[in-house]
């Protein structure tokens, strides 16, 4: 019908466009007005959809993590030695490079979480928790098969993820002297020294 209201795009489509904008233009260019222009909605309608930019960013992160989670699940359940799957986990965790859009989004959500309500913080913790549980399960499997030393899987996972987070931040912000290949080498050496079973 001429002059009729345009149908709003599905929420998932809006989140996908938000992620594309972060990848192509950087987080600073992701405003409600700019996103609205891309998806054919007013900034007011987007605010009605999401409530705030903080909620938009967290929803976009959850959407992106859902896709990463599917990829992580595929990598971790394939028939391969635990060490090979651990390398795949690390490879998926570490940013592709400076301004990696997923990590750029993570850093912004972490920064905004200082003032977030408990519900938003719980949602962030849930995202972190899935990565942690998958790693604990993989470590426990590798230990049971004799591929890894008999470490405490939960404690080792917490330490390894802290190491990965620290290195990942360096890569994502483009800290000189810390590129992806160097980080992956550091992590490989750490795992060889602290986790791999003596042969």
């Amino acid at each position: 019908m001429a002059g009729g209201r345009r149908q709003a795009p599905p929420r998932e489509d809006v989140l996908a466009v938000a992620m594309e904008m972060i990848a192509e233009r950087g987080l600073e260019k992701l405003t409600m007005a700019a996103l609205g222009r891309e998806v054919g909605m007013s900034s007011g309608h987007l605010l009605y959809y999401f409530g705030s930019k903080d909620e938009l960013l967290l929803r976009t992160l959850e959407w992106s993590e859902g896709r990463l989670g599917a990829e992580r699940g595929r990598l971790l359940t394939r028939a391969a030695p635990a060490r090979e799957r651990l390398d795949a986990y690390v490879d998926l965790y570490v940013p592709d490079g400076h301004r990696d859009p997923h990590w750029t989004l993570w850093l912004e959500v972490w920064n905004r979480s200082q003032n977030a309500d408990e519900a938003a913080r719980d949602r962030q913790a849930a995202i972190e928790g899935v990565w942690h549980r998958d790693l604990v399960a993989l470590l426990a499997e590798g230990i049971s098969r004799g591929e890894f030393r008999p470490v405490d899987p939960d404690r080792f996972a917490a330490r390894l993820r802290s190491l990965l987070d620290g290195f990942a931040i360096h890569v994502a912000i483009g800290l000189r002297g810390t590129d992806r290949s160097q980080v992956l080498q550091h992590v490989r050496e750490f795992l060889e020294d602290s986790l791999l079973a003596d042969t």
Side-chain angles (χ1 to χ4, degrees):
M1 165 172 86
R5 262 181 117 175
R6 283 182 62 184
Q7 187 75 11
R11 216 168 277 202
E12 185 167 304
D13 291 355
V14 175
L15 300 176
V17 170
M19 199 68 198
E20 286 171 19
M21 289 177 67
I22 294 169
E24 293 170 7
R25 306 175 206 174
L27 192 57
E28 62 278 1
K29 303 284 189 191
L30 179 64
T31 64
M32 290 298 205
L35 178 59
R37 284 191 294 276
E38 291 291 323
V39 298
M41 295 171 68
S42 70
S43 55
H45 196 173
L46 281 172
L47 279 170
Y48 174 78
Y49 240 35
F50 296 104
S52 68
K53 186 171 181 182
D54 286 1
E55 179 64 15
L56 168 68
L57 294 176
L58 183 52
R59 290 260 183 111
T60 304
L61 180 63
E62 288 171 329
W63 174 83
S64 178
E65 280 288 342
R67 298 179 74 191
L68 266 182
E71 175 69 4
R72 188 175 64 248
R74 187 187 66 74
L75 291 170
L76 296 184
T77 57
R78 64 197 166 105
R83 171 58 199 266
E84 189 176 315
R85 286 178 285 142
L86 180 56
D87 287 341
Y89 176 100
V90 169
D91 190 60
L92 190 64
Y93 202 109
V94 175
D96 288 335
H98 181 216
R99 296 179 68 92
D100 174 285
H102 184 78
W103 268 92
T104 297
L105 182 56
W106 248 126
L107 291 173
E108 184 65 18
V109 169
W110 270 340
N111 186 50
R112 289 170 180 253
S113 71
Q114 298 174 80
N115 301 313
D117 62 28
E118 283 305 307
R121 293 171 74 87
D122 287 346
R123 288 161 62 196
Q124 285 178 248
I127 296 170
E128 297 267 5
V130 175
W131 280 95
H132 185 77
R133 286 190 300 276
D134 284 352
L135 181 54
V136 169
L138 180 58
L139 292 170
E141 181 188 339
I143 293 163
S144 72
R145 292 183 174 187
E147 290 185 53
F148 301 151
R149 293 179 188 169
V151 298
D152 179 319
D154 188 65
R155 288 172 62 81
F156 193 91
R159 292 171 181 163
L160 177 55
R161 288 189 53 248
S162 292
L163 178 74
L164 290 171
D165 283 343
F167 275 134
I169 290 168
H170 288 188
V171 173
I173 67 172
L175 192 68
R176 288 184 183 169
T178 315
D179 64 23
R180 178 180 164 81
S181 62
Q182 290 170 314
V183 164
L184 293 176
Q185 183 60 36
H186 279 303
V187 175
R188 273 193 297 270
E189 290 172 5
F190 170 74
L191 294 174
E192 286 165 8
D193 292 344
S194 59
L195 184 66
L196 294 193
D198 297 325
T199 54

